[in-house]
């Protein structure tokens, strides 16, 4: 019992130190299952991060743009803040209203020479895993970075549209892609 109490105090102290060192944080409010609002959000792992605001309602959001502008970093920032909200009740933001949903992410799919898996096959496998999670569980939030980037444009658009349409039917989806055809 003593060890458990000491461990809980140590965890509380670590969390208090984290919040004290954070330039900004707020206690997360609850949003509807298909809504998310993070105002003045910071990436908790980047020094001197610029605050960003992000909100979605409905089926989700589509992030597009050139290489190197921060699409993946934005998705990671959203994901990290959602994990902090779920685990600890706070976000690195001025204000946050987040849905009480499980969070699933597909980021940085890679090929595997050892496993004999091309990037396209790795993306197909991950899409199948995400669809299985979506079909098996309660509503969730999906963060997907550069969906089906490992194939030609026509197959990429067709596969991505099918997966995103299926996920967005019951879940909140935030996706980044270079394929502007997939956008709203």
């Amino acid at each position: 019992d003593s060890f458990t109490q000491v461990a809980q105090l140590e965890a509380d102290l670590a969390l208090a130190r984290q919040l004290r060192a954070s330039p900004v944080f707020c206690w997360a409010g609850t949003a509807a299952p298909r809504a998310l609002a993070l105002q003045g959000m910071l990436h908790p792992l980047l020094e001197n991060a610029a605050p960003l605001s992000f909100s979605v309602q409905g089926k989700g959001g589509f992030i597009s743009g050139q290489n190197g502008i921060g699409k993946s970093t934005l998705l990671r920032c959203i994901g990290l803040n959602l994990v902090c909200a779920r685990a600890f009740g706070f976000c690195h933001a001025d204000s946050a209203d987040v849905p009480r949903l499980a969070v699933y992410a597909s980021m940085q799919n890679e090929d595997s020479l050892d496993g004999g898996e091309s990037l396209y096959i790795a993306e197909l496998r991950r899409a199948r895993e995400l669809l299985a999670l979506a079909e098996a569980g309660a509503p969730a939030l999906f963060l997907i970075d550069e969906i089906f980037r490992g194939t030609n444009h026509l197959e990429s658009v067709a596969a991505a549209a099918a997966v995103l349409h299926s996920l967005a039917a019951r879940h909140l989806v935030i996706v980044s892609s270079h394929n502007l055809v997939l956008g709203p």
Side-chain angles (χ1 to χ4, degrees), residues 144-162:
I144 304 172
D145 190 30
E146 295 295 343
I147 188 167
F148 288 108
R149 64 183 166 89
T151 189
N152 68 59
H153 180 72
L154 291 177
E155 287 180 13
S156 173
V157 170

Side-chain angles (χ1 to χ4, degrees), residues 25-147:
F25 77 90
C26 67
W27 299 110
T30 303
R34 287 189 171 252
L36 167 68
L38 295 160
Q39 302 300 318
M41 161 183 65
L42 292 178
H43 193 301
L45 302 178
L46 295 178
E47 284 187 38
N48 304 317
L52 297 168
S53 294
F54 183 87
S55 64
V56 293
Q57 273 193 310
K59 294 180 179 184
F62 180 78
I63 302 166
S64 67
Q66 300 170 339
N67 286 332
I69 65 165
K71 297 179 303 292
S72 299
T73 303
L74 175 60
L75 283 178
R76 286 183 182 98
C77 183
I78 294 166
L80 286 168
N81 274 285
L82 290 172
V83 168
C84 285
R86 289 280 315 233
F88 307 113
F90 72 89
C91 289
H92 296 275
D94 291 328
S95 69
D97 291 310
V98 300
R100 293 186 189 267
L101 300 174
V103 177
Y104 299 109
S106 178
M107 311 270 294
Q108 289 186 319
N109 287 321
E110 295 181 7
D111 58 359
S112 169
L113 294 176
D114 290 340
E117 190 173 73
S118 69
L119 177 57
Y120 181 63
I121 297 301
E123 289 179 318
L124 283 175
R125 179 183 43 75
R126 184 60 180 153
R128 186 175 52 233
E129 291 169 357
L130 292 175
L131 289 169
L133 287 167
E135 290 172 12
L141 189 149
F142 289 84
L143 299 171
I144 304 172
D145 190 30
E146 295 295 343
I147 188 167

